Amino acid sequence: MAGTSRSNHPDGAHSIDKVRRLQVRLWMAAKQNPERRFHALYDRIHRSDVLWEAWRRVRANHGAAGVDQETLALVEAMGVETFLGELQARLTAGEYRPVAVLRRYIKKSDGKKRPLGIPTVRDRVVQAATKLVLEPIFEADFLECSYGFRPKRSATDALETLRKHGVGSGGCYVLDADIRDFFGSLDHGLLIARVERRVSDRRVVKLIRQWLEAGVMEEGRETKLISGVPQGGVISPLLSNIYLSVLDEEWQARHSQVGVLVRYADDFVVMCPSAEACEQAEHRVRRILSRLKLELHPDKTRRVDLYQGRQGFDFLGCHLHKRMSGRLWEERGKACYFLQRWPSVRSMKRIRERVKELTDRRWSGVKDVRELIARLNPVLRGWGNYFKTGNAAKKFNQLDGYVCRQLRDFLVRRHGRNLKPGQADQWTRLFFWNHGLHRLRGTVRYPETARC
């Protein structure tokens, strides 16, 4: 039915189960034979159940139209079954050709702009279908040190790994690495070679090569790409993990004694036991990346001394810093430092800006503060769920106060000259919480306990 995100595939859940069974079979086959190259994958990509599951995922992620201006709503209006039938026919006949991605820019916290590529809905569905088939094969090879954009792994898992390795005198030095223009620098030839280690189906390899070479459309002008992958493509995170799996494998096989590698997509750190090891880690990472035709950013890559809380670093939206346990000092006289984390300065700035957007003068026409609260709560809840597995109590309390002040200012503006003396004093945190505002304070939890 048009206008709804529910799948209208006649088989429904049965179709999803078939796709899952396919993925399990592919994963098991890849796991049992690390040298196997898969040759009959293209026919699985254009299977009806795979395309329907791909559509379901694309629909759930929403997203704007690409260069053809075809929206998700337009596809639903014309009929999803017709849309997928036509797409399947093109794939089966070998007539599918991707088009350029639409270039848009999103503002970064430092004021710069990050390029984003928006594929068409058709290309997103085919990329999603391809990802459904390829991901389990490469998942069988990916190592534990990789956390980004992988099933059943998350940024919290990566942060928890660092926290556990950073207890006491362990992990006192960190290489905080930043790859210069990673998504714009991926070498197409090296990436295709990595894919072909597991995929011998030339039709699938051709699909990937077509997406890499499709180019970008900006202000009506199309530009072909000779390197890199556009950020925003459904298949891009998987291709990025395939590319950087070289770093993971090389590090685990030859350099793991130097430090612990924790990678989330193109963001990674190496936690080392000494300053000398940290320096070695940087040299070895540079050598590995040079073979991938990548380089560390000279201004953003640094070596961090965590010993006794001397320095800290930002990773995945958090600031990580060692602090001594006051309880252990009081109870045992033991000076033990734990690696703690809380929202970084940039993360706090971004959430304040978002809260301000949802409470500023543009909402002056809203009569009931509960309408603003209803808009704020999903933002606060999502932000809080990400950062609650850390030492964020102080930051949560600060944000609670900021949100309530913004809502209080809204009510002051709303009442204007009709504001009575002392009325604003009634609009406290408790007032807004009683009106349904999500409270961050008191929600901090650690997944596991770290011991010194």
Side-chain angles (χ1 to χ4, degrees):
M1 183 179 295
T4 176
S5 60
R6 184 176 61 185
S7 171
N8 55 356
H9 188 269
D11 293 331
H14 177 65
S15 174
I16 298 174
D17 290 340
K18 287 176 62 179
V19 174
R20 288 174 179 165
R21 287 197 295 271
L22 169 65
Q23 290 183 305
V24 170
R25 288 199 304 270
L26 289 171
W27 181 86
M28 291 181 64
K31 200 69 175 176
Q32 291 170 359
N33 187 355
E35 303 300 322
R36 177 175 174 178
R37 298 178 70 218
F38 291 78
H39 65 278
L41 298 177
Y42 188 80
D43 293 340
R44 290 175 168 88
I45 290 173
H46 62 66
R47 269 177 30 176
S48 295
D49 54 341
V50 173
L51 288 175
W52 272 100
E53 174 62 9
W55 161 258
R56 188 185 69 81
R57 298 190 179 197
V58 169
R59 181 67 182 85
N61 286 331
H62 305 292
V67 295
D68 61 357
Q69 298 300 306
E70 187 175 49
T71 63
L72 294 167
L74 185 59
V75 171
E76 290 178 322
M78 66 176 281
V80 178
E81 194 163 0
T82 300
F83 170 80
L84 293 181
E86 293 176 355
L87 194 55
Q88 183 182 43
R90 289 187 184 183
L91 287 166
T92 304
E95 298 173 353
Y96 165 79
R97 298 292 183 274
V99 297
V101 300
L102 183 63
R103 173 63 55 83
R104 289 288 183 264
Y105 292 90
I106 55 176
K107 188 177 179 181
K108 297 169 63 176
S109 56
D110 58 4
K112 297 180 181 179
K113 293 182 178 181
R114 183 192 306 277
L116 187 69
I118 305 174
T120 63
V121 175
R122 295 172 188 271
D123 290 341
R124 294 208 295 271
V125 170
V126 180
Q127 286 187 21
T130 304
K131 182 173 179 283
L132 285 169
V133 173
L134 292 185
E135 186 173 61
I137 296 172
F138 288 97
E139 270 294 318
D141 298 334
F142 290 158
L143 301 181
E144 290 294 309
C145 60
S146 170
Y147 295 88
F149 304 103
R150 295 184 58 192
K152 299 180 181 180
R153 298 175 75 79
S154 67
T156 299
D157 296 330
L159 292 166
E160 281 295 285
T161 298
L162 291 174
R163 182 175 71 92
K164 293 171 185 176
H165 279 90
V167 172
S169 59
C172 285
Y173 298 88
V174 167
L175 172 64
D176 180 13
D178 185 282
I179 301 177
R180 189 205 292 264
D181 188 26
F182 171 72
F183 284 95
S185 302
L186 269 71
D187 183 271
H188 292 174
L190 291 178
L191 176 56
I192 291 296
R194 290 293 294 181
V195 172
E196 288 179 330
R197 290 180 62 191
R198 276 301 205 172
V199 178
S200 60
D201 191 327
R202 287 183 290 180
R203 295 169 298 175
V204 176
V205 175
K206 180 181 177 181
L207 264 183
I208 295 173
R209 185 177 282 110
Q210 286 176 331
W211 287 322
L212 293 175
E213 298 173 353
V216 296
M217 180 74 73
E218 185 174 3
E219 296 181 351
R221 174 181 292 178
E222 183 174 341
T223 304
K224 295 295 182 181
L225 296 178
I226 59 173
S227 65
V229 295
Q231 286 182 267
V234 178
I235 199 75
S236 296
L238 175 59
L239 296 180
S240 301
N241 275 331
I242 293 172
Y243 199 82
L244 281 179
S245 63
V246 175
L247 171 64
D248 303 339
E249 294 167 5
E250 178 91 5
W251 191 266
Q252 296 302 100
R254 300 184 180 182
H255 312 299
S256 59
Q257 75 282 359
V258 176
V260 177
L261 172 67
V262 176
R263 183 175 67 81
Y264 190 95
D266 61 316
D267 292 329
F268 69 93
V269 298
V270 182
M271 181 169 275
C272 306
S274 67
E276 292 76 13
C278 192
E279 185 176 357
Q280 287 183 34
E282 181 175 352
H283 292 321
R284 298 182 187 194
V285 165
R286 288 185 185 278
R287 284 206 303 268
I288 297 171
L289 292 183
S290 67
R291 297 205 296 270
L292 295 174
K293 300 184 181 180
L294 299 172
E295 61 178 346
L296 292 177
H297 197 294
D299 300 325
K300 297 180 180 180
T301 299
R302 66 190 188 109
R303 298 195 291 269
V304 184
D305 181 1
L306 299 177
Y307 185 70
Q308 294 186 348
R310 289 173 183 166
Q311 294 178 317
F313 65 101
D314 290 350
F315 185 56
L316 301 180
C318 293
H319 180 74
L320 292 91
H321 213 108
K322 283 202 173 189
R323 285 188 171 174
M324 189 176 74
S325 170
R327 183 176 60 83
L328 288 178
W329 176 256
E330 291 176 359
E331 294 178 358
R332 308 179 196 173
K334 182 179 181 181
C336 185
Y337 285 80
F338 289 87
L339 185 62
Q340 299 186 356
R341 66 178 184 266
W342 51 84
S344 66
V345 171
R346 287 185 177 182
S347 296
M348 291 297 292
K349 180 181 178 182
R350 282 196 292 266
I351 189 62
R352 286 193 184 102
E353 289 175 347
R354 183 61 179 144
V355 168
K356 188 174 182 179
E357 289 175 0
L358 294 173
T359 56
D360 61 14
R361 294 183 180 275
R362 78 187 75 180
W363 305 101
S364 297
V366 174
K367 296 181 179 180
D368 193 336
V369 71
R370 284 173 292 195
E371 184 175 336
L372 290 190
I373 289 174
R375 296 176 184 272
L376 282 167
N377 278 348
V379 175
L380 296 174
R381 192 173 289 112
W383 189 86
N385 284 340
Y386 180 79
F387 289 107
K388 71 179 181 181
T389 57
N391 308 84
K394 183 178 179 180
K395 298 296 183 183
F396 277 17
N397 190 43
Q398 290 174 359
L399 187 57
D400 277 340
Y402 179 78
V403 173
C404 291
R405 287 194 299 274
Q406 288 295 111
L407 290 173
R408 181 179 180 273
D409 291 345
F410 161 77
L411 288 176
V412 169
R413 292 195 306 269
R414 187 78 185 89
H415 283 73
R417 295 181 180 180
N418 296 323
L419 184 67
K420 299 176 182 178
Q423 187 176 9
D425 296 336
Q426 302 173 14
W427 299 326
T428 61
R429 292 189 183 192
L430 185 59
F431 172 86
F432 294 115
W433 291 337
N434 287 339
H435 279 71
L437 179 66
H438 178 70
R439 177 167 58 181
L440 292 168
R441 192 178 70 180
T443 60
V444 174
R445 299 289 185 274
Y446 264 134
E448 296 180 32
T449 301
R451 299 191 181 277
C452 187

